[in-house]
Amino acid sequence: MSFNTLGLSESLLKAVSKKGYKTPSPIQEKAIPLILEGKDVLASAQTGTGKTAGFTLPMLQILDQGPRLRKRPIRALVLTPTRELAAQVQENVRDYSLFLDIRSTVIFGGVNPNPQITALRKGVDILIATPGRLLDLHSQKIFSLANIEMLVLDEADRMLDMGFLRDIKKILSLMPEKRQNLLFSATFSKEIKKLANGILNHPATVEATPENSTAEMVIQKIYKVDKNRKTPLIIKLISEGDWQQVLIFTRTKHGANRLSEKLSKKGITSAAIHGNKTQNARTKALDGFKRGKVRVLVATDIAARGLDIPLLPHVVNYELPNVPEDYVHRIGRTGRAGASGEAISLVCHDEQDYVRGIERLLGLKLPTDMVEGFEMSATPPPPRENNGRPQQRSHQPKSGNRKFKKRPNRFKSNANKGRN
């Protein structure tokens, strides 16, 4: 099948051809005709399958063929969970609307809002946004959502994970009830189905791949190694393998910074990307990585979704995530759009349970090996203090009269920490 058979206009086909695409992916082949028919769609697609173009192309065609309104009120809204994904969607919209009279802009937090406000006041047909910045600017009466004809929730499962449900409901209340709704998610969890039931109207369901599957073109490996030898091992793999583009995942922001610094000291150009970095720093690091100026990008799970890095050959789990589904999203950064890729996980004694959880989710046994000179010890090393000496466990009974200061509940506001 070719894009010519999907019912797309000549202007859109010209833009697709300019980007070098000839054959639609399965999600594009299934979703585009349904969206062009005006149906609500609930779509599950593995990352890297071209789902962004799957909703962008028909959205552009519907808006282009619709009536022109004065002052260009916002007619389509795309909500994304992260700034990086929002920027990626805007890039796709801009590329595919090259030969159309369609204006679009993107808004997200972490940057000066003034340029975003200026763009909105000039009038746009399509707005791509993260929930936090959208509600912030809307509360300032910068724009209206009263003319929305189409709503897209991209990476909807991730939005729920980040605590955006309340924001989504608030945004829905600002739009007309009659509109076309598209919900894209990596999984069809109970929470996603519940959300879909409250938004979608008799939706067509599209599944491009089995739920929680991993890309067939991704070669997965586990290297067992002691925790304190992971850094020397990753340096060896990158250097001796002559890896030129590697995405490494750590569990914490501080861990990402430390690893990036150690790699740089060994002459391996590296940058860290996580939530504590400013948006400009994150954009600069990602751009350098895509252009080949930065050899290694060390990231927390903020980068597990939405990063579009063509032909990325290597993904490394420096530390395994404690949620098995996040493993799928991480390694989905490689093996995209038919290209091959390699996903390596460095696993220490403490992470064996994580491996079992991932294998249960995937329904397969992951191949395990050790690198000569970096073999995992038979028993886990004792816990160590900062001075490097083994900790001495105290066997003294706890005093029944000791009073402990009650800690404030740090988790009440966690839902808002991920606001973008």
Side-chain angles (χ1 to χ4, degrees):
M1 178 177 282
S2 72
F3 282 98
N4 294 329
T5 63
L6 298 180
L8 296 171
S9 67
E10 286 299 322
S11 296
L12 287 171
L13 292 174
K14 187 177 177 183
V16 169
S17 178
K18 185 176 175 62
K19 283 181 71 71
Y21 299 134
K22 294 181 174 62
T23 307
S25 67
I27 188 66
Q28 294 164 358
E29 186 178 321
K30 294 176 182 179
I32 289 174
L34 293 171
I35 298 171
L36 288 176
E37 289 174 18
K39 294 182 178 179
D40 282 13
V41 171
L42 174 61
S44 172
Q46 186 179 319
T47 54
T49 55
K51 65 180 175 60
T52 304
F55 65 76
T56 298
L57 289 168
M59 175 177 67
L60 286 168
Q61 178 150 321
I62 290 170
L63 295 179
D64 184 58
Q65 294 177 348
R68 289 284 184 268
L69 302 177
R70 287 182 66 248
K71 296 185 179 180
R72 289 188 188 263
I74 300 165
R75 293 189 289 149
L77 172 65
V78 182
L79 277 181
T80 74
T82 66
R83 306 162 190 176
E84 285 76 17
L85 181 55
Q88 178 198 319
V89 172
Q90 164 63 356
E91 188 178 325
N92 273 261
V93 171
R94 187 176 60 245
D95 289 347
Y96 291 126
S97 62
L98 187 61
F99 305 106
L100 301 174
D101 181 22
I102 295 286
R103 283 189 205 164
S104 62
T105 196
V106 60
I107 62 173
F108 46 70
V111 296
N112 186 340
N114 290 333
Q116 299 175 358
I117 292 170
T118 299
L120 287 165
R121 284 179 169 158
K122 287 180 179 178
V124 296
D125 302 287
I126 301 171
L127 175 63
I128 302 101
T130 52
R133 179 55 61 93
L134 176 79
L135 288 173
D136 181 26
L137 295 187
H138 186 274
S139 69
Q140 298 177 43
K141 303 189 185 305
I142 305 298
F143 61 88
S144 169
L145 298 177
N147 293 93
I148 292 291
E149 302 168 20
M150 184 178 292
L151 168 67
V152 182
L153 294 182
D154 194 12
E155 304 271 7
D157 49 340
R158 181 66 167 170
M159 279 198 267
L160 295 187
D161 290 344
M162 294 175 69
F164 284 132
L165 181 58
R166 182 179 296 179
D167 286 351
I168 291 171
K169 289 181 176 179
K170 174 65 175 175
I171 292 166
L172 291 173
S173 71
L174 304 174
M175 296 184 288
E177 288 188 16
K178 187 178 180 181
R179 61 179 187 268
Q180 186 176 6
N181 303 285
L182 313 175
L183 192 154
F184 283 75
S185 173
T187 62
F188 280 166
S189 64
K190 290 179 181 177
E191 292 79 13
I192 284 296
K193 289 175 181 175
K194 183 179 178 181
L195 177 65
N197 287 338
I199 298 175
L200 306 181
N201 183 28
H202 303 295
T205 302
V206 174
E207 266 187 281
T209 54
E211 194 171 314
N212 290 322
S213 67
T214 53
E216 293 180 4
M217 300 296 287
V218 179
I219 300 168
Q220 300 175 68
K221 294 179 185 176
I222 286 177
Y223 287 137
K224 289 189 174 183
V225 59
D226 288 335
K227 189 174 185 178
N228 61 352
R229 305 203 70 197
K230 285 188 177 185
T231 300
L233 176 55
I234 192 62
I235 290 170
K236 172 186 173 70
L237 293 172
I238 293 170
S239 300
E240 295 187 4
D242 195 27
W243 296 355
Q244 294 302 311
Q245 194 179 41
V246 192
L247 177 60
I248 302 178
F249 284 102
T250 61
R251 198 177 292 131
T252 68
K253 302 167 187 175
H254 296 303
N257 287 337
R258 283 196 302 270
L259 181 57
S260 178
E261 289 169 5
K262 288 177 181 178
L263 291 172
S264 296
K265 286 179 181 178
K266 291 294 182 178
I268 300 170
T269 54
S270 174
I273 180 172
H274 52 67
N276 278 2
K277 296 282 187 179
T278 65
Q279 183 57 39
N280 287 337
R282 286 157 65 170
T283 301
K284 183 179 177 181
L286 182 57
D287 184 63
F289 186 61
K290 286 183 175 182
R291 293 173 180 269
K293 294 179 180 179
V294 173
R295 191 171 171 185
V296 178
L297 189 66
V298 187
T300 55
D301 281 307
I302 192 171
R305 310 270 191 111
L307 288 186
D308 185 16
I309 305 164
L311 306 177
L312 177 62
H314 304 285
V315 168
V316 176
N317 289 299
Y318 185 83
E319 296 158 319
L320 285 178
N322 52 15
V323 177
E325 287 82 2
D326 286 344
Y327 172 85
V328 177
H329 301 312
R330 285 182 178 189
I331 73 168
R333 300 300 94 211
T334 187
R336 294 164 72 89
S340 61
E342 183 178 46
I344 290 174
S345 299
L346 308 185
V347 177
C348 65
H349 284 282
D350 296 342
E351 297 171 302
Q352 299 297 322
D353 286 343
Y354 296 155
V355 174
R356 286 187 279 273
I358 290 165
E359 290 177 336
R360 280 195 299 270
L361 178 71
L362 300 180
L364 58 85
K365 188 80 173 173
L366 296 174
T368 301
D369 202 354
M370 292 194 211
V371 177
E372 186 176 352
F374 293 85
E375 294 86 357
M376 179 190 281
S377 56
T379 57
R384 293 183 178 272
E385 293 178 331
N386 290 336
N387 61 11
R389 289 179 294 185
Q391 293 178 354
Q392 298 296 320
R393 297 185 183 274
S394 172
H395 298 287
Q396 294 178 352
K398 294 179 180 177
S399 170
N401 296 325
R402 185 177 177 185
K403 292 184 179 180
F404 292 91
K405 185 178 179 181
K406 187 176 180 181
R407 291 186 177 182
N409 188 345
R410 295 179 290 112
F411 301 100
K412 283 185 178 179
S413 62
N414 268 8
N416 292 323
K417 276 195 174 182
R419 288 174 71 97
N420 284 282

